[in-house]
Amino acid sequence: AKDVVKVAVSSKDHTTLVAALKQAELVTALSNAGPFTVFAPTNAAFDKLPAGTVDGLMKPEKKEDLQNILQYHVSLAAMKAETFKDGQVLGMVNGDNLTINIKDGKVMLNNSATIVASIPASNGIIHVIDGVLLPPEKK
């Protein structure tokens, strides 16, 4: 089986995510043993962000911001979608928390992105999502 990075690289719907992972230098970390749960926004999800957001985050001086956002899409455990509970809080790699919401049988994250597919990988699981998760503003 492929690891979470190889699964993403082989998906035509995740070219923006893969480019961002490379720019943020997170490919090696996500190729490790894991286990990881990766919430993987599609290209269409990135396209929903305000114009220029992705291009801005891909600049070298924005690397820490990009890493923070991408690490907010990763949890250090392999969790299947059917095990999530409404109101469950997940600790993410960037140190922030994410809340699971379940509505009409759909699993949502922070009431914004919906899991549209789940793909097992050798070092965890990828949940394909239809929105980009933005970490809470630092206080």
Side-chain angles (χ1 to χ4, degrees), residues 11 13 19 26 28 40-41 50 53-54 60-61 65 72-73 79 84 92-93 101 108 119 130 137:
S11 165
D13 293 324
L26 293 173
T28 305
T53 302
V54 175
E61 64 270 19
D65 292 342
Y72 190 58
H73 289 76
M79 295 172 278
F84 290 134
M92 307 309 283
V93 171
N101 316 100
M108 295 183 72
I119 306 156
D130 64 0
E137 293 288 326

PDB file of all heavy atoms in Angstrom, residues 11 13 19 26 28 40-41 50 53-54 60-61 65 72-73 79 84 92-93 101 108 119 130 137:
ATOM      1  N   SER A  11      -3.236  11.395  -7.030  1.00  0.00           N
ATOM      2  CA  SER A  11      -4.596  11.910  -7.235  1.00  0.00           C
ATOM      3  C   SER A  11      -4.571  13.207  -8.037  1.00  0.00           C
ATOM      4  O   SER A  11      -3.961  14.186  -7.618  1.00  0.00           O
ATOM      5  CB  SER A  11      -5.265  12.169  -5.875  1.00  0.00           C
ATOM      6  OG  SER A  11      -6.416  12.966  -6.047  1.00  0.00           O
ATOM      7  N   ASP A  13      -6.909  15.200  -8.249  1.00  0.00           N
ATOM      8  CA  ASP A  13      -7.694  16.197  -7.516  1.00  0.00           C
ATOM      9  C   ASP A  13      -6.917  16.847  -6.379  1.00  0.00           C
ATOM     10  O   ASP A  13      -7.464  17.679  -5.646  1.00  0.00           O
ATOM     11  CB  ASP A  13      -8.962  15.553  -6.932  1.00  0.00           C
ATOM     12  CG  ASP A  13      -9.932  15.124  -8.026  1.00  0.00           C
ATOM     13  OD1 ASP A  13     -10.026  15.830  -9.049  1.00  0.00           O
ATOM     14  OD2 ASP A  13     -10.574  14.081  -7.851  1.00  0.00           O
ATOM     15  N   ALA A  19       1.571  20.277  -4.054  1.00  0.00           N
ATOM     16  CA  ALA A  19       2.486  21.410  -4.248  1.00  0.00           C
ATOM     17  C   ALA A  19       2.714  22.146  -2.926  1.00  0.00           C
ATOM     18  O   ALA A  19       3.842  22.535  -2.598  1.00  0.00           O
ATOM     19  CB  ALA A  19       1.921  22.368  -5.299  1.00  0.00           C
ATOM     20  N   LEU A  26       6.914  19.339   4.056  1.00  0.00           N
ATOM     21  CA  LEU A  26       6.243  18.381   4.940  1.00  0.00           C
ATOM     22  C   LEU A  26       6.141  16.981   4.333  1.00  0.00           C
ATOM     23  O   LEU A  26       5.607  16.072   4.961  1.00  0.00           O
ATOM     24  CB  LEU A  26       4.842  18.889   5.305  1.00  0.00           C
ATOM     25  CG  LEU A  26       4.816  20.140   6.184  1.00  0.00           C
ATOM     26  CD1 LEU A  26       3.398  20.645   6.346  1.00  0.00           C
ATOM     27  CD2 LEU A  26       5.437  19.871   7.537  1.00  0.00           C
ATOM     28  N   THR A  28       8.465  14.671   3.714  1.00  0.00           N
ATOM     29  CA  THR A  28       9.218  13.666   4.468  1.00  0.00           C
ATOM     30  C   THR A  28       8.499  13.287   5.753  1.00  0.00           C
ATOM     31  O   THR A  28       8.351  12.105   6.079  1.00  0.00           O
ATOM     32  CB  THR A  28      10.643  14.177   4.781  1.00  0.00           C
ATOM     33  OG1 THR A  28      11.253  14.550   3.552  1.00  0.00           O
ATOM     34  CG2 THR A  28      11.484  13.104   5.452  1.00  0.00           C
ATOM     35  N   ALA A  40      -7.573  15.909   3.488  1.00  0.00           N
ATOM     36  CA  ALA A  40      -6.955  16.374   2.252  1.00  0.00           C
ATOM     37  C   ALA A  40      -7.925  17.185   1.400  1.00  0.00           C
ATOM     38  O   ALA A  40      -8.790  16.617   0.733  1.00  0.00           O
ATOM     39  CB  ALA A  40      -6.434  15.170   1.458  1.00  0.00           C
ATOM     40  N   PRO A  41      -7.776  18.521   1.408  1.00  0.00           N
ATOM     41  CA  PRO A  41      -8.648  19.349   0.566  1.00  0.00           C
ATOM     42  C   PRO A  41      -8.365  19.100  -0.914  1.00  0.00           C
ATOM     43  O   PRO A  41      -7.216  18.945  -1.322  1.00  0.00           O
ATOM     44  CB  PRO A  41      -8.254  20.786   0.929  1.00  0.00           C
ATOM     45  CG  PRO A  41      -7.453  20.689   2.191  1.00  0.00           C
ATOM     46  CD  PRO A  41      -6.832  19.331   2.191  1.00  0.00           C
ATOM     47  N   PRO A  50     -10.290  32.866  -0.977  1.00  0.00           N
ATOM     48  CA  PRO A  50     -10.241  34.145  -1.695  1.00  0.00           C
ATOM     49  C   PRO A  50      -9.095  34.160  -2.719  1.00  0.00           C
ATOM     50  O   PRO A  50      -8.037  33.577  -2.474  1.00  0.00           O
ATOM     51  CB  PRO A  50      -9.991  35.166  -0.579  1.00  0.00           C
ATOM     52  CG  PRO A  50     -10.508  34.500   0.663  1.00  0.00           C
ATOM     53  CD  PRO A  50     -10.269  33.021   0.465  1.00  0.00           C
ATOM     54  N   THR A  53      -5.021  33.735  -2.328  1.00  0.00           N
ATOM     55  CA  THR A  53      -4.636  33.147  -1.039  1.00  0.00           C
ATOM     56  C   THR A  53      -3.580  32.064  -1.210  1.00  0.00           C
ATOM     57  O   THR A  53      -2.545  32.079  -0.543  1.00  0.00           O
ATOM     58  CB  THR A  53      -5.872  32.551  -0.318  1.00  0.00           C
ATOM     59  OG1 THR A  53      -6.840  33.582  -0.133  1.00  0.00           O
ATOM     60  CG2 THR A  53      -5.489  31.971   1.041  1.00  0.00           C
ATOM     61  N   VAL A  54      -3.843  31.119  -2.114  1.00  0.00           N
ATOM     62  CA  VAL A  54      -2.907  30.009  -2.300  1.00  0.00           C
ATOM     63  C   VAL A  54      -1.569  30.521  -2.820  1.00  0.00           C
ATOM     64  O   VAL A  54      -0.511  30.170  -2.288  1.00  0.00           O
ATOM     65  CB  VAL A  54      -3.496  28.926  -3.233  1.00  0.00           C
ATOM     66  CG1 VAL A  54      -2.471  27.841  -3.529  1.00  0.00           C
ATOM     67  CG2 VAL A  54      -4.745  28.303  -2.601  1.00  0.00           C
ATOM     68  N   PRO A  60       8.010  31.926  -0.261  1.00  0.00           N
ATOM     69  CA  PRO A  60       8.945  31.459   0.785  1.00  0.00           C
ATOM     70  C   PRO A  60       8.737  32.136   2.139  1.00  0.00           C
ATOM     71  O   PRO A  60       8.810  31.489   3.179  1.00  0.00           O
ATOM     72  CB  PRO A  60      10.324  31.796   0.203  1.00  0.00           C
ATOM     73  CG  PRO A  60      10.114  31.839  -1.275  1.00  0.00           C
ATOM     74  CD  PRO A  60       8.695  32.304  -1.484  1.00  0.00           C
ATOM     75  N   GLU A  61       8.418  33.425   2.143  1.00  0.00           N
ATOM     76  CA  GLU A  61       8.263  34.136   3.425  1.00  0.00           C
ATOM     77  C   GLU A  61       6.988  33.733   4.168  1.00  0.00           C
ATOM     78  O   GLU A  61       6.804  34.075   5.338  1.00  0.00           O
ATOM     79  CB  GLU A  61       8.326  35.656   3.216  1.00  0.00           C
ATOM     80  CG  GLU A  61       7.198  36.239   2.379  1.00  0.00           C
ATOM     81  CD  GLU A  61       7.494  36.290   0.876  1.00  0.00           C
ATOM     82  OE1 GLU A  61       8.408  35.566   0.397  1.00  0.00           O
ATOM     83  OE2 GLU A  61       6.799  37.044   0.182  1.00  0.00           O
ATOM     84  N   ASP A  65       3.275  30.048   7.848  1.00  0.00           N
ATOM     85  CA  ASP A  65       1.802  30.106   7.779  1.00  0.00           C
ATOM     86  C   ASP A  65       1.275  28.886   7.032  1.00  0.00           C
ATOM     87  O   ASP A  65       0.287  28.267   7.442  1.00  0.00           O
ATOM     88  CB  ASP A  65       1.337  31.382   7.055  1.00  0.00           C
ATOM     89  CG  ASP A  65       1.634  32.646   7.850  1.00  0.00           C
ATOM     90  OD1 ASP A  65       1.878  32.545   9.074  1.00  0.00           O
ATOM     91  OD2 ASP A  65       1.633  33.736   7.245  1.00  0.00           O
ATOM     92  N   TYR A  72      -2.702  21.727  10.381  1.00  0.00           N
ATOM     93  CA  TYR A  72      -4.049  21.742  10.939  1.00  0.00           C
ATOM     94  C   TYR A  72      -4.945  20.729  10.228  1.00  0.00           C
ATOM     95  O   TYR A  72      -6.076  20.509  10.619  1.00  0.00           O
ATOM     96  CB  TYR A  72      -4.644  23.154  10.829  1.00  0.00           C
ATOM     97  CG  TYR A  72      -5.939  23.349  11.591  1.00  0.00           C
ATOM     98  CD1 TYR A  72      -5.997  23.128  12.970  1.00  0.00           C
ATOM     99  CD2 TYR A  72      -7.091  23.762  10.948  1.00  0.00           C
ATOM    100  CE1 TYR A  72      -7.181  23.311  13.672  1.00  0.00           C
ATOM    101  CE2 TYR A  72      -8.280  23.950  11.636  1.00  0.00           C
ATOM    102  CZ  TYR A  72      -8.314  23.721  13.003  1.00  0.00           C
ATOM    103  OH  TYR A  72      -9.481  23.908  13.695  1.00  0.00           O
ATOM    104  N   HIS A  73      -4.414  20.064   9.193  1.00  0.00           N
ATOM    105  CA  HIS A  73      -5.144  19.030   8.459  1.00  0.00           C
ATOM    106  C   HIS A  73      -4.661  17.626   8.809  1.00  0.00           C
ATOM    107  O   HIS A  73      -5.052  16.664   8.167  1.00  0.00           O
ATOM    108  CB  HIS A  73      -4.999  19.257   6.945  1.00  0.00           C
ATOM    109  CG  HIS A  73      -5.748  20.439   6.434  1.00  0.00           C
ATOM    110  ND1 HIS A  73      -5.314  21.732   6.629  1.00  0.00           N
ATOM    111  CD2 HIS A  73      -6.912  20.543   5.740  1.00  0.00           C
ATOM    112  CE1 HIS A  73      -6.176  22.566   6.076  1.00  0.00           C
ATOM    113  NE2 HIS A  73      -7.160  21.869   5.526  1.00  0.00           N
ATOM    114  N   MET A  79      -7.809   7.378  12.036  1.00  0.00           N
ATOM    115  CA  MET A  79      -9.215   7.350  12.439  1.00  0.00           C
ATOM    116  C   MET A  79     -10.124   7.216  11.224  1.00  0.00           C
ATOM    117  O   MET A  79     -10.057   8.033  10.319  1.00  0.00           O
ATOM    118  CB  MET A  79      -9.557   8.631  13.200  1.00  0.00           C
ATOM    119  CG  MET A  79      -8.812   8.753  14.517  1.00  0.00           C
ATOM    120  SD  MET A  79      -9.045  10.364  15.289  1.00  0.00           S
ATOM    121  CE  MET A  79      -7.830  11.325  14.400  1.00  0.00           C
ATOM    122  N   PHE A  84     -15.923   8.542  13.991  1.00  0.00           N
ATOM    123  CA  PHE A  84     -16.076   9.903  14.499  1.00  0.00           C
ATOM    124  C   PHE A  84     -17.435  10.074  15.170  1.00  0.00           C
ATOM    125  O   PHE A  84     -18.426   9.509  14.739  1.00  0.00           O
ATOM    126  CB  PHE A  84     -15.938  10.935  13.366  1.00  0.00           C
ATOM    127  CG  PHE A  84     -14.548  11.054  12.819  1.00  0.00           C
ATOM    128  CD1 PHE A  84     -14.334  11.070  11.454  1.00  0.00           C
ATOM    129  CD2 PHE A  84     -13.445  11.171  13.654  1.00  0.00           C
ATOM    130  CE1 PHE A  84     -13.058  11.197  10.918  1.00  0.00           C
ATOM    131  CE2 PHE A  84     -12.163  11.293  13.138  1.00  0.00           C
ATOM    132  CZ  PHE A  84     -11.969  11.303  11.757  1.00  0.00           C
ATOM    133  N   MET A  92      -4.769  18.488  16.594  1.00  0.00           N
ATOM    134  CA  MET A  92      -4.089  18.459  15.310  1.00  0.00           C
ATOM    135  C   MET A  92      -2.589  18.717  15.504  1.00  0.00           C
ATOM    136  O   MET A  92      -2.165  19.235  16.529  1.00  0.00           O
ATOM    137  CB  MET A  92      -4.710  19.504  14.371  1.00  0.00           C
ATOM    138  CG  MET A  92      -6.241  19.368  14.232  1.00  0.00           C
ATOM    139  SD  MET A  92      -6.828  17.693  13.817  1.00  0.00           S
ATOM    140  CE  MET A  92      -6.422  17.654  12.071  1.00  0.00           C
ATOM    141  N   VAL A  93      -1.789  18.368  14.495  1.00  0.00           N
ATOM    142  CA  VAL A  93      -0.335  18.469  14.595  1.00  0.00           C
ATOM    143  C   VAL A  93       0.134  19.892  14.898  1.00  0.00           C
ATOM    144  O   VAL A  93       1.142  20.087  15.575  1.00  0.00           O
ATOM    145  CB  VAL A  93       0.330  17.917  13.302  1.00  0.00           C
ATOM    146  CG1 VAL A  93       1.821  18.207  13.264  1.00  0.00           C
ATOM    147  CG2 VAL A  93       0.097  16.419  13.197  1.00  0.00           C
ATOM    148  N   ASN A 101     -18.431  17.398  13.351  1.00  0.00           N
ATOM    149  CA  ASN A 101     -19.880  17.577  13.387  1.00  0.00           C
ATOM    150  C   ASN A 101     -20.483  16.536  12.457  1.00  0.00           C
ATOM    151  O   ASN A 101     -19.975  16.340  11.361  1.00  0.00           O
ATOM    152  CB  ASN A 101     -20.285  18.972  12.899  1.00  0.00           C
ATOM    153  CG  ASN A 101     -19.400  20.067  13.477  1.00  0.00           C
ATOM    154  OD1 ASN A 101     -18.491  20.537  12.805  1.00  0.00           O
ATOM    155  ND2 ASN A 101     -19.639  20.454  14.704  1.00  0.00           N
ATOM    156  N   MET A 108     -18.637  16.372   9.086  1.00  0.00           N
ATOM    157  CA  MET A 108     -18.106  17.699   8.787  1.00  0.00           C
ATOM    158  C   MET A 108     -17.039  18.059   9.801  1.00  0.00           C
ATOM    159  O   MET A 108     -17.034  17.550  10.922  1.00  0.00           O
ATOM    160  CB  MET A 108     -19.220  18.742   8.824  1.00  0.00           C
ATOM    161  CG  MET A 108     -20.269  18.553   7.747  1.00  0.00           C
ATOM    162  SD  MET A 108     -21.510  19.867   7.806  1.00  0.00           S
ATOM    163  CE  MET A 108     -20.560  21.254   7.187  1.00  0.00           C
ATOM    164  N   ILE A 119      -9.607   7.196   2.033  1.00  0.00           N
ATOM    165  CA  ILE A 119      -8.681   6.299   1.339  1.00  0.00           C
ATOM    166  C   ILE A 119      -7.660   5.780   2.344  1.00  0.00           C
ATOM    167  O   ILE A 119      -6.900   6.560   2.924  1.00  0.00           O
ATOM    168  CB  ILE A 119      -7.934   7.050   0.216  1.00  0.00           C
ATOM    169  CG1 ILE A 119      -8.935   7.735  -0.727  1.00  0.00           C
ATOM    170  CG2 ILE A 119      -7.010   6.102  -0.559  1.00  0.00           C
ATOM    171  CD1 ILE A 119      -8.368   8.913  -1.474  1.00  0.00           C
ATOM    172  N   ASP A 130     -13.975  18.776   1.108  1.00  0.00           N
ATOM    173  CA  ASP A 130     -14.387  19.744   0.099  1.00  0.00           C
ATOM    174  C   ASP A 130     -14.152  21.191   0.524  1.00  0.00           C
ATOM    175  O   ASP A 130     -14.699  22.119  -0.059  1.00  0.00           O
ATOM    176  CB  ASP A 130     -15.860  19.530  -0.270  1.00  0.00           C
ATOM    177  CG  ASP A 130     -16.799  19.780   0.900  1.00  0.00           C
ATOM    178  OD1 ASP A 130     -16.327  20.117   2.015  1.00  0.00           O
ATOM    179  OD2 ASP A 130     -18.020  19.632   0.703  1.00  0.00           O
ATOM    180  N   GLU A 137      -7.548  31.827  14.772  1.00  0.00           N
ATOM    181  CA  GLU A 137      -6.600  32.940  14.893  1.00  0.00           C
ATOM    182  C   GLU A 137      -5.854  32.832  16.208  1.00  0.00           C
ATOM    183  O   GLU A 137      -6.445  32.509  17.242  1.00  0.00           O
ATOM    184  CB  GLU A 137      -7.357  34.286  14.863  1.00  0.00           C
ATOM    185  CG  GLU A 137      -7.999  34.601  13.533  1.00  0.00           C
ATOM    186  CD  GLU A 137      -6.981  34.970  12.456  1.00  0.00           C
ATOM    187  OE1 GLU A 137      -5.949  35.598  12.800  1.00  0.00           O
ATOM    188  OE2 GLU A 137      -7.206  34.614  11.290  1.00  0.00           O
TER     189      GLU A 137
END
